């Protein structure tokens, strides 16, 4: 209840390893519930590689940027609904049934995608998977935190976060493994059903959250579960602590009142403390998405191809770098978030993001200016074997960039001896792709051949390194600390929805922006948005490092409150006097 979010330290991780080794029940609990984080990460990563092969199998997907964006983003749309519905299910039916239903949805969606005959059916499967991801993303950490020993709770919840990035890395590995297997993308998407099925079976053997049971009056069942988690001499103490915590929680809920959602929201927004906290919480969540991270996580192989690497296999292999760096960054964050502070870590992260997005924009701009030209002589070599690009006019100077932007959707067949020499512009279809490759040439559909590709990969990696330890993890920590306890549920929900909606906007528009503005202009746009986010975060988000929940409330209550000013503790904060902190009106 005090001291802010429980961020695990080194000692807590050591204790976690010791307990999970000596008490197999805790290990079973963590692995079973933690699969939810793994599934969340896997779905984020797997579609980025699968999309390359879905595009090759369905001409409609190849030709429609909007359809590709929809295939990716429908899982995000489903997750928004799943997270909202999951919150109600958690309270009504319990954590365990919510995870089981999430697994069933995820497994069903994976099977639908694996056997999809059309892109429309893939989209339906993506919606089901998204519903499962949304429910699991909020339920799994909650279940772990409520059903694990208090002294290792922070480490176990942090481990769930690591499993998300681990799931992303695993997805890239599995994508790479299935590139040579018939049915490529079907295996990539369908194999996600395996861990969902495993978790489904394991959860059937695990108990409900003892805290949820206690709140529902099922105290004997809750006590029986605690006896499996804690040594015998600690059980009574833990039951008493849980009783006090639940009573305080019910008391706080009573202070808010039994109004509906609108009534609770109105009462929350009448508080100056909540308004200031909610503004900061929503801003960091929206900024987390608008700096463009999910363009990288969902479209990483496509971005690699935009950088000038034509091969699907090469794009998949190089994308492993971004996923691995993201996982490493999450680990780094755990060591620095309590040393450097939340605000400073985010600001440093945003500075790096701005710099490297500018580098990426400049790199893609240079690549476009040095793109090889289209040769009428080279194009005519294929005239009798396949269809050339209908828009190509030999009397008008065209480069590879013009070829790829053609309205009828065309591809660039590079020169046989040197990919930087003038090549051919062909209609985008399987026959053109096969004919070009049969002549020992590379066929480009996203980006053009250039000498800037490795610089783009370095910029992409540096962007991830800048993002992951700061903007990747800190916004969630800030949102766990900055709201008064009685309004934490509703405010946290608003911020989470803002994050998912921002994710949906970015995911649904990225490819369209690259087509409409060009790749370089798109990255410059994200650079500008990130710079704006840097300014807004500086002026609106306070430092919460080292402050107890009550101290955070008092800081936000101050008349001379300045987000950029550091408050060190109770002695620096004006007392709330006769008013209840957080319920005052301006």
């Amino acid at each position: 209840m005090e001291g802010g979010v429980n961020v695990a330290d080194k000692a807590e991780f050591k204790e976690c390893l010791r307990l999970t080794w000596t008490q197999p029940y805790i290990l079973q609990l963590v692995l079973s519930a933690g699969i939810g984080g793994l599934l969340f990460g896997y779905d984020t990563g797997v579609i980025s590689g699968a999309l390359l092969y879905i595009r090759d199998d369905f001409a409609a997907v190849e030709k429609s940027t909007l359809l590709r964006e929809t295939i990716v983003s429908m899982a995000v749309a489903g997750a928004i609904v799943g997270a909202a519905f999951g919150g109600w299910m958690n309270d009504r039916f319990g954590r365990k049934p919510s995870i089981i239903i999430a697994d069933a949805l995820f497994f069903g969606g994976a099977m639908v995608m694996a056997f999809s005959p059309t892109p429309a059916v893939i989209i339906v499967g993506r919606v089901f998977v998204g519903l499962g991801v949304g429910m699991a993303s909020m339920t799994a950490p909650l279940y772990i935190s409520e059903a694990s020993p208090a002294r290792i709770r922070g480490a176990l919840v942090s481990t769930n976060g690591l499993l998300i990035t681990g799931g992303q890395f695993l997805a890239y590995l599995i994508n790479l493994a299935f590139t040579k297997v018939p049915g490529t993308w079907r295996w990539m998407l369908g194999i996600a059903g395996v861990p969902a099925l495993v978790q489904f079976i394991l959860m059937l053997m695990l108990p409900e959250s003892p805290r949820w049971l206690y709140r529902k009056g099922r105290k004997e069942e809750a006590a029986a579960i605690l006896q499996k988690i804690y040594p015998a001499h600690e059980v009574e103490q833990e039951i008493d602590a849980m009783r006090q915590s639940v009573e305080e929680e019910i008391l706080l809920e009573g202070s808010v009142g039994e109004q509906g959602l609108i009534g609770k929201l109105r009462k929350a927004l009448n508080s100056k403390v909540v308004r200031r906290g909610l503004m900061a919480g929503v801003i960091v969540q929206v900024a987390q998405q608008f700096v463009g991270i999910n363009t990288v996580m969902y479209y990483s192989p496509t971005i690699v191809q935009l950088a000038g690497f034509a091969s699907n296999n090469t794009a998949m292999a190089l994308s492993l770098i971004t996923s691995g760096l993201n996982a490493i960054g999450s680990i780094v964050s755990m060591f620095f978030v309590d040393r450097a502070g939340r605000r400073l870590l985010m600001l440093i992260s945003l500075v790096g993001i701005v710099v490297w997005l500018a580098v990426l924009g400049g790199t893609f701009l240079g690549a476009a200016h040095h793109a090889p030209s289209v040769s009428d002589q080279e194009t005519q070599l294929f005239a009798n074997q396949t269809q050339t690009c209908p828009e190509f006019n030999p009397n008008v100077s065209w480069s590879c960039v013009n070829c790829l932007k053609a309205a009828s959707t065309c591809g660039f067949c590079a020169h046989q001896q040197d990919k930087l020499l003038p090549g051919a512009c062909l209609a985008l279809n399987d026959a053109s792709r096969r004919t070009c490759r049969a002549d020992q040439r590379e066929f480009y559909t996203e980006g053009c051949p250039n000498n800037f590709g490795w610089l783009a990969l370095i910029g992409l990696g540096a962007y991830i390194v800048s993002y992951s330890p700061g903007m990747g993890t800190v916004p969630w920590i800030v949102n766990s600390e900055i709201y008064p306890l009685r309004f934490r549920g509703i405010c946290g929900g608003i911020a989470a929805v803002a994050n998912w909606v921002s994710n949906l906007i970015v995911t649904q528009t990225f490819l369209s922006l690259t087509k409409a503005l060009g790749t370089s202009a798109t990255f410059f746009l994200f650079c500008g948005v990130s710079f704006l986010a840097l300014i807004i975060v500086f002026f609106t988000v306070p430092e919460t490092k080292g402050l107890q929940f009550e101290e955070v409330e008092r800081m936000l209550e101050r008349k001379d409150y300045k987000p950029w000013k550091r408050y060190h503790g109770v002695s620096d904060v004006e007392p709330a006097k006769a008013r209840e902190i957080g319920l005052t009106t301006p």
Side-chain angles (χ1 to χ4, degrees), residues 328-367:
I328 293 170
S330 298
I331 298 172
V332 171
S333 174
M334 294 166 63
F335 289 97
F336 285 99
V337 71
D338 270 341
R339 296 179 183 179
R342 288 81 163 115
R343 173 184 162 87
L344 179 61
L345 207 54
M346 282 192 293
L347 292 175
I348 293 173
S349 177
L350 283 166
V351 169
I353 287 169
V354 170
V355 169
W356 290 109
L357 283 174
V359 169
L360 281 168
T363 300
F364 283 112
L365 182 63

Side-chain angles (χ1 to χ4, degrees), residues 383-529:
N384 295 327
Q385 304 174 61
T386 187
Q387 183 184 357
T388 60
C389 184
E391 283 94 341
F392 175 60
N393 182 349
N395 298 318
V396 178
S397 178
W398 257 29
S399 72
C400 168
V401 175
N402 302 115
C403 177
L404 298 187
K405 285 186 175 181
S408 60
T409 317
C410 301
F412 181 79
C413 184
H415 193 278
Q416 189 177 36
Q417 297 177 353
D418 185 347
K419 64 181 183 180
L420 298 180
L421 292 176
C425 188
L426 309 177
L428 184 56
N429 53 51
D430 287 340
S432 298
R433 189 180 284 107
R434 285 194 301 268
T435 303
C436 178
R437 290 172 179 168
D439 203 26
Q440 303 303 310
R441 299 166 180 250
E442 288 191 275
F443 193 69
Y444 293 81
T445 60
E446 296 294 337
C448 295
N450 61 79
N451 286 327
F452 294 82
W454 290 105
L455 181 57
L457 288 179
I458 292 170
L460 200 60
Y463 165 81
I464 291 291
V465 169
S466 299
Y467 169 86
S468 187
M471 290 305 295
T473 55
V474 176
W476 297 102
I477 296 174
V478 169
N479 270 271
S480 72
E481 297 176 326
I482 205 165
Y483 307 121
L485 189 59
R486 54 199 162 279
F487 294 119
R488 188 159 299 147
I490 190 169
C491 291
I494 291 170
V497 169
N499 183 285
W500 282 109
V501 171
S502 302
N503 186 346
L504 179 62
I505 292 170
V506 170
T507 307
Q508 183 65 47
T509 57
F510 174 67
L511 292 180
S512 294
L513 285 172
T514 61
K515 294 296 182 185
L517 304 178
T519 308
S520 62
T522 300
F523 278 98
F524 280 132
L525 175 63
F526 280 119
C527 178
V529 171

Side-chain angles (χ1 to χ4, degrees), residues 243 268 320 338 447 516 536:
R243 177 188 59 78
L320 275 171
D338 270 341
I536 294 175

